[in-house]
């Protein structure tokens, strides 16, 4: 006798749908494996399956049976004994990002990275950071480059994209679709030369700088007397945040990075956050509404903190490699005197290089075609990476016509010899066709191994080593040893991210949560 099957509809970040059949006793792992096989995802550590409960996404524990997350109709027979009868509606679940990372290079699988990009793209469309309006125009430029490739005047004219697919609705309402369609192509043109992969990586980097994109929000009750939740708990890349909702507008009350959190505890529907170094009287106490929801939050907080520790060394190493690659790129610099301003008003000479706006380029420095180093692609980066946590450069939104004068792509230059172009000084002799006094300076450096290759070695599973991350073990023990713990060491990425590989001693079923029971907690 064949096992009874259930139809499950899985919604993907790409807005595609998968209709699958699983057994009535199947676990979330079986369904998740089917989804990964059909989508081609080989690195699924950052994703999870979720269901909607009370307008809130609840991620499944993949080791639990699916019937725990669906309605009571899951176990009911939907067909007759001979297979007749009308089948019921499919059970709906979502494939989404469960753990956010700010650097897309930590996701090595191409299919997984593309799904991660599409998930962030949907999040950006719902973002409400009104003080970062220029960031949405930059994100739209990266998105157009990733989806459509280089801007082509023959094909990309007029309304060649839908503003609703790249901009939040509040920007379209404020600026108008005509404004977006008039100025976004110029920003798309600036990204010429970026490969779709590099454009996706830059989109991921910029999207994660928006406060309400790489975060999970959960509504909490301030006390038992409240009919509606007024407190919002945000699980971010670096820790947790607490917001107070005033006139339907969230206002930030507390921002706790993981090092500033002493302990998180749940007792039934009560949630406690203990700040580091503060007495018990200063702890924050809220209510989740039910014990089942408390257990879900505890599991997500624990595994997110475990991810933060597991990727800490890889994240630092990747940042150092990217900084080293930026320094080793071949770069051309043009140094001009004060006469440049006078030449802007004169007609262009025969040998002048004219930009898209019909005037000579005004950039003083840019990367040449030979400046690409392994994992970096050619293109004018309006927000280049820098060393240190600096703020992104602001980009003009009200007057983007100035970007029309950006220079076109240059032919490759040899590191050993620089080509002379009209208007440059070569061997102490200036070209008669261009009176501008310009000096071309060439900086040449040896190439180092790419960040991708080195990161691949860092994240390789080390099963033979058999060592255990002592620092992250505090997540699974209510009472850690008082002795000082060593710094976290690199270990297998799969073990660091897969919560199913390590079961916590504090994982208790909701039916066993009694008033006289010790709280579920983990010490950070």
């Amino acid at each position: 006798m064949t096992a009874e099957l259930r139809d499950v509809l899985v919604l993907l970040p790409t807005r595609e749908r998968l209709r699958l059949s699983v057994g009535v006793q199947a676990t979330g792992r079986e369904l998740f494996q089917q989804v990964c096989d059909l989508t081609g995802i080989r690195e699924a550590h950052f994703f999870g399956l979720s269901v909607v409960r009370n307008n809130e996404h609840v991620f499944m524990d993949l080791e639990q049976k699916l019937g725990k997350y669906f309605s009571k109709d899951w176990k009911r027979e939907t067909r007759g004994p001979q297979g007749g009868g009308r089948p019921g509606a499919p059970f709906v679940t979502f494939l989404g990002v469960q753990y956010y990372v700010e650097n897309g290079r930590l996701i090595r699988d191409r299919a997984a990275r593309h799904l991660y990009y599409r998930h962030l793209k949907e999040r950006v469309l719902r973002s409400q950071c009104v003080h970062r309006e220029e960031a949405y125009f930059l994100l739209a430029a990266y998105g157009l480059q990733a989806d459509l490739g280089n801007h082509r005047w023959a094909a990309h004219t007029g309304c060649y994209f839908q503003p609703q697919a790249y901009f939040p609705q509040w920007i379209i309402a404020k600026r108008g679709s005509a404004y977006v369609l008039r100025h976004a192509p110029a920003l798309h043109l600036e990204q010429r030369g970026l490969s779709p992969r590099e454009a996706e990586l830059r989109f991921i980097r910029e999207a994660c700088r928006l406060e309400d994109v790489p975060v999970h929000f959960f509504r909490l009750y301030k006390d038992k007397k409240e009919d509606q939740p007024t407190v919002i708990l945000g699980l971010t890349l670096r820790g947790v945040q607490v917001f107070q909702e005033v006139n339907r507008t969230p206002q930030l009350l507390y921002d706790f990075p993981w090092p500033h959190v002493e302990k998180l505890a749940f007792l039934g529907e009560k949630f406690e956050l203990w700040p580091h170094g503060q007495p018990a009287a200063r702890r924050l106490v809220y209510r989740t509404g039910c014990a089942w929801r408390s257990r879900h939050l505890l599991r997500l907080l624990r595994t997110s903190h475990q991810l933060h520790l597991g990727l800490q060394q890889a994240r630092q190493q990747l940042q150092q490699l990217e900084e080293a690659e930026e320094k080793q790129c071949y770069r051309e610099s043009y140094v001009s005197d004060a006469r440049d301003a006078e030449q802007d008003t004169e007609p262009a000479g025969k040998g002048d290089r004219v930009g898209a706006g019909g005037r000579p380029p005004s950039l003083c420095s840019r990367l040449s075609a030979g400046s690409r180093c392994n994992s970096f692609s050619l293109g004018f980066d309006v927000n280049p990476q820098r060393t240190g946590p600096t703020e992104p450069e602001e980009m003009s939104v009200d007057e983007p016509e100035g970007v029309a004068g950006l220079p076109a792509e240059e032919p490759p230059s040899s590191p050993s010899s620089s080509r002379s172009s009209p208007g440059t000084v070569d061997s102490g002799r200036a070209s008669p066709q261009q009176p501008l006094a310009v000096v071309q300076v060439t900086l040449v450096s040896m190439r180092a191994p790419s960040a991708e290759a080195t990161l691949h070695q860092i994240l390789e599973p080390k099963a033979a080593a058999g060592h255990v991350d002592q620092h992250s073990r505090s997540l699974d023990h209510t009472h850690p040893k008082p002795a000082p713990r060593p710094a976290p060491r690199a270990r297998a990425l799969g073990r660091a991210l897969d919560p199913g590989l390590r079961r916590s001693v504090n994982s208790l079923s909701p039916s066993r949560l009694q008033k006289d029971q010790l709280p579920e907690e983990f010490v950070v």
Side-chain angles (χ1 to χ4, degrees), residues 293-465:
R293 190 162 176 257
S294 299
R295 187 187 177 197
H296 158 68
L297 280 176
L298 177 66
R299 175 181 170 274
L300 184 59
L301 291 169
R302 180 192 288 117
T303 53
S304 296
H305 180 251
Q306 186 176 348
L307 167 72
H308 177 75
L309 294 178
L311 292 180
Q312 189 171 12
Q313 182 177 359
R315 196 164 46 236
Q316 295 174 355
Q317 186 74 10
L318 181 59
Q319 182 179 358
Q320 295 174 0
L321 292 173
E322 290 179 344
E323 293 173 357
E325 281 189 342
E326 286 184 353
K327 295 179 181 179
Q328 293 167 351
C329 286
Y330 163 74
R331 186 178 184 87
E332 284 187 2
S333 299
Y334 296 88
V335 183
S336 58
D337 59 11
R339 287 181 293 173
D340 291 346
E342 301 176 1
Q343 297 296 331
D344 290 341
T345 58
E346 298 181 4
K350 181 178 180 181
D352 289 342
R353 297 182 53 198
V354 181
R359 55 180 181 272
S362 58
L363 289 179
C364 295
S365 176
R366 65 187 180 86
L367 293 177
S368 69
S371 64
R372 285 179 285 185
C373 289
N374 295 323
S375 63
F376 288 91
S377 299
L378 175 66
F380 175 68
D381 186 1
V382 296
N383 192 10
Q385 292 182 345
R386 296 176 177 83
T387 59
T390 58
E391 292 293 330
E393 292 182 356
E394 293 186 359
M395 177 180 60
S396 174
V397 174
D398 295 325
E399 298 179 1
E401 292 83 26
V403 300
L406 292 179
E409 190 173 349
E410 253 187 310
S413 300
S414 173
S416 59
S417 63
S418 302
R419 297 182 180 180
S420 301
S421 60
T424 62
V425 177
D426 189 10
S427 302
R429 182 177 53 189
S431 173
Q433 298 178 359
Q434 176 58 262
L436 292 178
V438 181
V439 179
Q440 179 174 343
V441 182
T442 302
L443 305 179
V444 183
S445 179
M446 299 299 293
R447 293 183 180 180
S450 67
E452 308 292 339
T454 309
L455 182 65
H456 180 77
Q457 300 176 2
I458 297 174
L459 298 180
E460 275 297 317
K462 301 178 181 179

Side-chain angles (χ1 to χ4, degrees), residues 125 140 159-169 172 176-178 180-181:
L125 296 181
C159 183
Y160 69 94
F161 70 94
Q162 295 296 327
Q164 295 81 3
Y166 294 92
F167 289 89
Q169 186 59 39
I172 299 176
S177 297
V180 171
L181 292 172

Side-chain angles (χ1 to χ4, degrees), residues 46-106:
F46 302 96
F47 297 88
L49 294 176
S50 66
V51 294
V52 176
R53 292 282 184 88
N54 298 325
N55 296 324
E56 185 177 278
H57 281 271
V58 177
F59 285 96
M60 297 181 182
D61 182 352
L62 298 182
E63 306 307 323
Q64 300 292 329
K65 293 184 178 180
L66 292 173
K68 179 179 178 181
Y69 295 95
F70 294 117
S71 63
K72 296 180 180 179
D73 296 335
W74 177 263
K75 295 184 179 180
R76 296 177 182 175
E77 189 174 3
T78 57
R79 300 176 184 268
Q82 303 300 327
R86 184 178 180 181
F91 299 90
V92 180
T93 183
F94 299 83
L95 176 68
V97 176
Q98 187 172 2
Y99 306 107
Y100 289 102
V101 289
E102 66 273 29
N103 196 322
R105 289 184 173 88
L106 291 171

Side-chain angles (χ1 to χ4, degrees), residues 510-521:
S511 60
R512 296 178 58 188
L513 285 174
Q514 306 296 335
K515 293 183 179 180
D516 56 346
Q517 186 179 6
L518 293 177
E520 298 182 76
E521 62 183 29

